[in-house]
């Protein structure tokens, strides 16, 4: 069974600085999808970024980018120019192509942003 | 934008009560999901459904059931609520591989 591990329960960053959140996963599949979700204090989970495993190019969405290392089964999220509104729980998630759209989530990383 | 609406933001129920958590989505998504979220455990899948009247058990289905009579509505049922079911419950819907759209969550307290 696939697993997703986020080894950093909490991280902090100064406003305008860069922070990287780690995520590793375990799978025997070659084709799959990876996601980062953000959950602010309002509790609404928001999709931050999506990566398709067959694409070697790292996904980017404005200040958010990933470092996808398929061989190492690593999928880290980099937040550049951090803003106070980036403070939230961040969840890494894995989707297998073999099961109807079921996501497997990590335990989350709480990011604090200091002014 | 797709909207997923959970009927209650906060809910307090007594042990042994039958509890219904309702979720409605407005964009004709085939797939719907119920997760519970607990600190340090992340999100764990309770049940999911990929079509009307279809349901599949997730990782922690014990003590829960679901109903999907219409495509837009997916209900989670706690047959006899217990204190260990105190948690945050998140509903989500999806289509294809574009990720989930989540509701705002229901924080359920069982006393």
């Amino acid at each position: 069974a696939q697993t997703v591990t986020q080894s950093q329960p909490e991280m902090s960053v100064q406003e305008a600085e860069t922070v990287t959140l780690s995520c590793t996963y375990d799978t025997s599949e070659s084709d799959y999808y990876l996601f980062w979700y953000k959950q602010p204090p309002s509790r609404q989970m928001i999709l931050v970024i999506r990566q398709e495993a067959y694409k070697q190019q790292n996904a980017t969405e404005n200040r958010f980018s990933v470092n996808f290392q398929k061989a190492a089964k690593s999928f880290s999220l980099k937040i550049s120019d951090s803003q106070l509104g980036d403070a939230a729980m961040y969840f890494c998630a894995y989707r297998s192509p073999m099961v109807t759209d079921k996501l497997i989530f990590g335990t989350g990383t709480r990011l604090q942003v200091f002014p | 934008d797709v909207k997923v609406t959970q009927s209650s933001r906060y809910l307090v129920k007594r042990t042994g009560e039958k509890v219904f958590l309702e979720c409605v989505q407005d964009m004709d998504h085939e797939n719907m999901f119920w997760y519970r979220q607990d600190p340090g455990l992340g999100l764990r899948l309770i049940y999911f459904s990929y079509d009307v009247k279809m349901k599949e058990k997730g990782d922690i289905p014990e003590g829960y059931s679901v109903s999907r009579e219409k495509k837009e509505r997916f209900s989670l049922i706690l047959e006899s609520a217990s204190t260990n079911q105190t948690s945050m419950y998140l509903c989500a819907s999806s289509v294809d591989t574009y990720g989930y759209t989540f509701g705002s969550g229901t924080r359920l307290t069982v006393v």
Side-chain angles (χ1 to χ4, degrees):
Chain A
Q2 295 85 10
T3 58
V4 176
T5 301
Q6 294 179 250
S7 58
Q8 306 154 316
E10 292 190 1
M11 293 282 285
S12 61
V13 64
Q14 205 87 28
E15 208 174 359
E17 297 295 308
T18 296
V19 65
T20 299
L21 308 184
S22 301
C23 173
T24 58
Y25 57 94
D26 188 25
T27 184
S28 58
E29 297 169 326
S30 59
D31 192 19
Y32 47 86
Y33 302 86
L34 296 165
F35 303 85
W36 277 99
Y37 280 88
K38 171 186 176 181
Q39 186 182 41
S42 66
R43 302 186 337 210
Q44 183 79 48
M45 293 272 276
I46 303 161
L47 177 62
V48 175
I49 206 162
R50 171 180 177 269
Q51 176 79 43
E52 299 171 47
Y54 66 88
K55 288 187 177 178
Q56 293 190 340
Q57 186 174 5
N58 289 324
T60 299
E61 286 289 338
N62 301 313
R63 296 182 295 106
F64 297 87
S65 61
V66 297
N67 183 6
F68 174 48
Q69 303 282 337
K70 192 172 183 180
K73 296 179 184 174
S74 172
F75 182 61
S76 59
L77 176 69
K78 186 172 87 170
I79 307 174
S80 303
D81 185 27
S82 296
Q83 300 176 359
L84 294 177
D86 294 334
M89 281 290 288
Y90 286 82
F91 291 95
C92 178
Y94 170 99
R95 181 195 179 277
S96 167
M98 302 302 291
V99 177
T100 306
D101 209 31
K102 185 173 80 168
L103 285 182
I104 300 165
F105 288 85
T107 52
T109 296
R110 181 172 300 282
L111 177 67
Q112 292 182 301
V113 181
F114 295 103
Chain B
D1 282 350
V2 177
K3 196 169 181 182
V4 177
T5 303
Q6 293 184 232
S7 54
S8 303
R9 192 160 174 83
Y10 297 95
L11 215 50
V12 179
K13 294 293 181 180
R14 294 195 180 279
T15 302
E17 274 192 80
K18 191 169 186 176
V19 181
F20 293 86
L21 302 184
E22 306 288 346
C23 176
V24 178
Q25 52 97 359
D26 66 359
M27 279 297 289
D28 205 36
H29 281 179
E30 283 85 15
N31 305 321
M32 296 189 74
F33 308 84
W34 276 106
Y35 285 84
R36 66 177 279 176
Q37 181 181 0
D38 300 288
L41 297 178
L43 279 73
R44 293 178 292 165
L45 182 63
I46 305 171
Y47 268 96
F48 64 105
S49 168
Y50 52 86
D51 202 352
V52 176
K53 297 193 185 292
M54 304 298 286
K55 59 186 179 184
E56 295 280 343
K57 291 180 180 179
D59 300 317
I60 52 164
E62 297 78 19
Y64 303 94
S65 62
V66 290
S67 171
R68 194 167 181 199
E69 296 296 319
K70 293 184 178 181
K71 192 173 187 178
E72 67 270 19
R73 185 180 297 269
F74 191 37
S75 303
L76 180 70
I77 304 158
L78 287 66
E79 297 290 342
S80 177
S82 64
T83 54
N84 63 13
Q85 292 179 310
T86 291
S87 186
M88 172 78 78
Y89 290 88
L90 294 173
C91 175
S93 72
S94 76
V95 63
D96 293 332
T97 64
Y98 294 101
Y100 289 5
T101 299
F102 281 88
S104 299
T106 295
R107 189 175 295 282
L108 172 67
T109 302
V110 182
V111 298

